């Protein structure tokens, strides 16, 4: 009886393990045959009923059946592992001949491109780059620059006030004072950055734009240094054949003051659309630092003199690339930006 039962189990098991697909199935079969409540165990529990002669014979047979089932489990498990590995290898196959995905590479913004170029030119002349805050005190933006409260010169820069004494800087000139407060002459810096004016947006105006300030302070600095430095700068930027001129002007924080123009690249002085019929294009404002401004920066005007200049970055870039609308700089339209 028991002998037949054992033989049946061996047969059934041989069948069952042949088509195992999942490790969960395999585990279920192991429990079914060899588990504590499994089929083989159930049979072995009847061993007590056997006679003394039968017991060793059936015992040996039972061990054989158990061993053969264990072998089948091990073989099925190995086959399963092998199949899973093959599947994984097939899945992870890398076709190195497939065309790659191109990652788009950005370009530098035209304002950054030209600013970098301008910085390089001044660094080449021994300048270093300084910075100041965009949220500025009225004191630095105006008062220390010889523009007292209620002075009409304030009206030329429509300023965003945050409180009575705090504003968004309307020019980079406040950095002049901040640098002089921190650093003894000789001083040779440029200070690029954002400035703000309450202007309506159109092709040539924006409430946010960029300026580059320059300041040189040392013993014996003269207008000749100003002219030499700015002409060298402009010719490096626009080419050695650029024609430049200085015109007298007025700024509260420089005396004397001037503006530097370049002869129109398009019409060479004839007058055209680019220069609005003038023949000349204004590049920057400059002048000898006012003695009061030196004093406000803690520099003795009896001992030192200096010159300062300021230019609008957007206008330089527009001229450089023939861009006729300032709004293009801020709209982040890729069709525009990709051209640089
Ligand atoms: N800050 C002046 C402006 O915004 C430019 C300037 C700077 C002029 C330094 C002279 C010296 O118009």
């Amino acid at each position: 009886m028991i002998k037949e039962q054992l033989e049946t189990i061996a047969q059934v098991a041989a069948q069952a393990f042949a088509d195992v697909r999942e490790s969960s199935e395999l585990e279920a079969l192991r429990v079914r045959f060899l588990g504590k409540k499994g089929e083989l165990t159930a049979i072995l529990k009847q061993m007590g009923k056997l006679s003394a002669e039968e017991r060793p014979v059936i015992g040996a047979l039972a061990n054989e059946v158990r061993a053969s089932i264990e072998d089948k489990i091990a073989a099925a498990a190995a086959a399963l592992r092998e199949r899973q590995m093959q599947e994984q290898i097939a899945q992870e196959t890398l076709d190195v001949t497939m065309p790659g995905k191109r990652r788009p590479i950005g370009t530098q913004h035209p304002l950054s491109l030209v600013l970098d170029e301008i910085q390089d030119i001044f660094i080449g002349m021994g300048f270093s780059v300084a910075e100041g805050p965009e949220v500025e005190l009225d004191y630095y933006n105006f008062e220390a620059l010889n523009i007292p409260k209620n002075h009409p010169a304030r009206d030329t820069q429509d300023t965003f006030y945050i409180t009575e004494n705090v504003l968004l800087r309307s020019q980079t000139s406040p950095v002049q004072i901040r640098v002089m407060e921190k650093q003894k002459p000789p001083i040779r810096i440029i200070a690029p950055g954002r400035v703000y004016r309450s202007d309506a947006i159109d092709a040539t105006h924006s409430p946010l734009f960029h300026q580059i300030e320059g300041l040189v302070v040392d013993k014996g600095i003269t207008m000749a240094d100003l002219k030499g430095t700015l002409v060298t700068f402009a010719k490096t930027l626009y080419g050695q054949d650029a024609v430049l001129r200085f015109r007298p002007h007025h700024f509260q924080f420089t005396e004397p003051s001037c503006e530097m123009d370049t002869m129109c690249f398009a019409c060479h002085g004839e007058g055209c659309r680019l220069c609005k019929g003038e023949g000349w294009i204004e590049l920057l404002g400059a002048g000898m630092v006012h003695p009061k401004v030196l004093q406000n920066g803690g520099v003795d005007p009896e001992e030192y003199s200096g010159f300062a200049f300021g230019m609008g970055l957007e206008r330089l870039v527009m001229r450089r690339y023939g861009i006729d609308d300032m709004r293009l700089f801020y709209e982040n339209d890729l069709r525009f930006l990709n051209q640089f």
Side-chain angles (χ1 to χ4, degrees), residues 157 171 173 176 197 211 213 251 253-254 285-286 308-310:
Q157 304 184 355
Q171 49 185 352
S173 301
Q176 289 185 32
R197 290 187 197 177
Q211 286 189 334
E213 193 78 11
F251 296 106
F253 34 91
T254 49
F309 54 90

